[in-house]
Amino acid sequence: SISARESVSSFDQIILKDSVYTAMGLAAPVLAGEFNFDDFLSTTIVGDMSMPCNGPVFKVLHRRIAILLGQWITIMENQDKRPLVYQIFENLLDVSQPGNDIVVSLTASRHMKTVIDDYSFKPQQYLPYAEKIFIHLISLIEQVQNVESKMAILNTIRVVAVRLEEHIVPFADGIVNILPDLWTASGEEHLMKQAILTLLSTIVTAMRSPSSRYNSLILPLIQRAVEDGSDMQVYLLEEALDLWSNILQQTPTASKGDVIMLIDSIFPLLEGGGDNLRNVLVILESYIILAPEV
């Protein structure tokens, strides 16, 4: 289907780049210190991202760039280059951009986790790009059909929330708003429900007391997940107890009314014992501190 000579040249060059970038990624620990990746990022990779995307082969290159950046981010010498990496991922996560598609953006979402979950991460460098990146991640999770892909995106969002800590507050509503539909659509896919509860637990911990505005959504989920004898309890008890404990620890005394509704659910769990008894006792202790009169 390639009709023009220059198209063939471009095709060959891009396939060659993909091969070279694959080798560079695999050899990253060996090349570190011998190769100036910072300059390479600012010139060659930025140039690759700026090329007119005339044909589907450019999707191969964009996907490879996402992988390559994930492989090199932890050994980059100049951490001031990180905002440029975030800017590139902001582009790669946008399915509507030329040279991107679901595969490119999904690959970028997976390697975004590696980029964020690094000891050199600084929220101040990331925040200028956070809003658009969250918009693209949320849009992507609504477009993909595969449960495993949805869970991978949720995991990336969770890691971002962990690293942003209290800076997650402006973006939390957008994240939490997609979770009820994901919960309903997951049906009997309990791994997805586990991922949702874990993400909620992370958001509650990061936001602290302002997270109480989500109690009307979260508390019924916990109640269903810890219900004695239910199928959900078999699969979701550990994650539900972690979320329950985190909510109690972040609840101010003045706003304790909502969480009191769950207190009767603690007694069957005490009787059941088991591996989760320690978490149950922590929850009971939190209730005693938060509402001793109850």
Side-chain angles (χ1 to χ4, degrees), residues 27-283:
V30 179
L31 293 175
E34 303 294 331
F35 177 72
N36 192 333
F37 187 81
D38 298 331
D39 287 348
F40 181 80
L41 170 65
S42 302
T43 55
T44 305
I45 293 183
V46 168
D48 289 344
M49 292 298 300
S50 303
M51 284 194 302
C53 301
N54 301 319
V57 71
F58 282 89
K59 298 174 183 178
V60 174
L61 182 60
H62 283 194
R63 175 181 176 274
R64 181 55 56 189
I65 288 172
I67 298 171
L68 181 66
L69 292 177
Q71 292 167 318
W72 272 88
I73 191 70
T74 59
I75 51 179
M76 283 175 55
E77 293 183 4
N78 186 357
Q79 296 303 319
D80 292 337
K81 295 287 187 180
R82 279 179 169 266
L84 182 55
V85 174
Y86 303 146
Q87 185 177 353
I88 292 172
F89 270 91
E90 180 187 311
N91 179 290
L92 294 173
L93 287 166
D94 186 354
V95 178
S96 66
Q97 287 291 326
N100 294 349
D101 61 5
I102 288 289
V103 175
V104 172
S105 296
L106 185 57
T107 301
S109 73
R110 290 176 181 271
H111 288 274
M112 186 79 194
K113 173 179 175 291
T114 305
V115 169
I116 298 299
D117 196 17
D118 179 61
Y119 74 95
S120 298
F121 176 80
K122 297 178 181 177
Q124 292 74 18
Q125 291 180 320
Y126 179 80
L127 284 173
Y129 310 95
E131 182 177 5
K132 287 187 177 180
I133 287 176
F134 275 123
I135 290 172
H136 295 326
L137 288 172
I138 290 169
S139 174
L140 186 61
I141 203 171
E142 293 172 340
Q143 293 181 60
V144 298
Q145 301 298 321
N146 183 271
V147 172
E148 183 181 348
S149 297
K150 289 180 181 289
M151 289 174 56
I153 300 169
L154 281 180
N155 192 31
T156 296
I157 293 174
R158 181 191 63 79
V159 170
V160 176
V162 168
R163 301 312 303 268
L164 286 182
E165 297 181 329
E166 70 274 8
H167 299 292
I168 194 64
V169 173
F171 316 109
D173 286 353
I175 298 169
V176 172
N177 287 341
I178 67 170
L179 299 182
D181 289 341
L182 287 177
W183 181 279
T184 301
S186 65
E188 298 300 315
E189 188 60 61
H190 295 297
L191 288 176
M192 172 65 83
K193 288 182 167 64
Q194 288 177 358
I196 292 172
L197 293 176
T198 301
L199 175 57
L200 285 170
S201 186
T202 298
I203 290 175
V204 167
T205 302
M207 290 181 65
R208 301 182 181 178
S209 58
S211 66
S212 60
R213 65 177 183 252
Y214 304 128
N215 281 0
S216 60
L217 164 68
I218 295 175
L219 296 180
L221 298 182
I222 295 175
Q223 190 164 30
R224 291 171 60 190
V226 304
E227 185 178 354
D228 190 35
S230 69
D231 290 340
M232 281 193 182
Q233 188 190 70
V234 175
Y235 298 100
L236 305 179
L237 181 59
E238 183 176 351
E239 289 77 14
L241 290 177
D242 287 340
L243 177 55
W244 192 356
S245 179
N246 287 339
I247 285 178
L248 288 172
Q249 291 173 31
Q250 306 302 335
T251 297
T253 304
S255 306
K256 64 187 179 184
D258 291 343
V259 298
I260 298 303
M261 63 176 280
L262 283 179
I263 198 167
D264 287 340
S265 300
I266 202 73
F267 301 115
L269 298 174
L270 284 169
E271 294 171 359
D275 295 338
N276 291 299
L277 181 58
R278 182 182 182 86
N279 289 339
V280 174
L281 291 173
V282 169
I283 291 170

